[in-house]
Amino acid sequence: MGLRKERVKLIMGTMRGKIAVVTGGLSGIGKACSLAFAQQQCTVVILDIQDEKAEETIKHCREAGGDAVYRNCNLLEYENIKSAFQFIEGTYGRLDYAINNAGFGFPPKPMDESTYEEVRTLYGINVQAYSMCMIHELRMMKEVGFGRIVNIASGTGLIANKGYSMYSAAKHAVVGMTKAAALDYAKDNITVNAIAPGTIETELVASLKFQAPEAYEQAKAANPSGRFGQPWEIARVALFLCEADSSFINGAIIPVDSGGTAGK
Ligand SMILES: NC(=O)c1ccc[n+]([C@@H]2O[C@H](COP(=O)([O-])OP(=O)(O)OC[C@H]3O[C@@H](n4cnc5c(N)ncnc54)[C@H](O)[C@@H]3O)[C@@H](O)[C@H]2O)c1
């Protein structure tokens, strides 16, 4: 058996000791992903900008049985992305799993009321940063002959929502790059999939409960299940998409929204 095949066999076993990168891994869905991979005894490299949240998340990851390293990395700056991946390459020499998650939208409004700065920032974080991270991730994974990439898209990347022109376009772009990259790297033992979450009760959504109770209840009722999703419900799917058992799932966009997009 060639060296490369032996290496692949070695890393196809348990997740223990594997290296995972989670962008935006200090909050919401990203934090749940950091913890989920730490529970599998992975080393999680968290790229985020909220320094004040790092210590607590690292502590939780270690308590969960894995390890975590935080890198302050403003994903809107390419030099930051480049040096973060140089750090991963230099420290671990490989990357097994990547959860591209850091993203956001702006409060809904008609497209003609948007500004250049909003367009630049929105595509910068949701499209350009996802693309540049994926380029680095794929290069490292291709070298070893193994990798799992999970992009956090959105239900808004599958259907349109009023007031979200650019966010919807950006998340459709994530869906497109996921599918195309899946085709390009299938023979390299790398899978690229995306999750399209419905409304998930992250800190921002939870804060509405007290600040705008009516909007909170309305949003909750809009889901077929009558509830919001929880961050761990996304993290569990991300984890599955990195496990050996899911190796034939590639180029899939998985809605995790309790049917939110099914009837649309
Ligand atoms: N929460 C939802 O209802 C929902 C629904 C569908 C899709 N999503 C998508 O899921 C992903 C995570 O959303 P969330 O609700 O958990 O968000 P969140 O705000 O709770 O977490 C996002 C994380 O990204 C980090 N981040 C933001 N800008 C950054 C930058 N420039 N550089 C580095 N890190 C940065 C933040 O510091 C934060 O830790 C996003 O891509 C979002 O579009 C969320």
Side-chain angles (χ1 to χ4, degrees), residues 125-136:
I125 191 73
N126 293 297
V127 183
Q128 195 166 309
Y130 272 58
S131 310
M132 293 318 302
C133 286
M134 275 181 70
I135 288 170
H136 285 280

Side-chain angles (χ1 to χ4, degrees), residues 183-223:
L183 300 177
D184 287 343
Y185 297 94
K187 287 204 170 120
D188 293 296
N189 200 18
I190 297 170
T191 64
V192 187
N193 293 291
I195 298 172
T199 306
I200 304 301
E201 198 165 21
T202 52
E203 280 169 41
L204 185 74
V205 174
S207 70
L208 286 178
K209 193 173 189 169
F210 306 103
Q211 285 163 17
E214 223 170 282
Y216 177 87
E217 290 304 326
Q218 263 174 20
K220 208 161 66 156
N223 188 277

Side-chain angles (χ1 to χ4, degrees), residues 5 10 31 76-77 93 104-105 142 144-145 152-153 177 198 221 225-226:
K5 280 201 177 135
L10 191 73
K31 183 174 178 181
L76 289 166
E77 304 288 338
F104 51 78
K142 204 173 153 188
V144 178
I152 305 301
M177 78 177 84
S225 67

Side-chain angles (χ1 to χ4, degrees), residues 24 27 29 48 50 73-75 101 130 152-153 167 171 198 200:
S27 167
I29 294 169
D48 207 308
Q50 298 193 70
C73 173
N74 181 357
L75 294 156
N101 160 80
Y130 272 58
I152 305 301
Y167 183 65
K171 292 300 189 182
I200 304 301

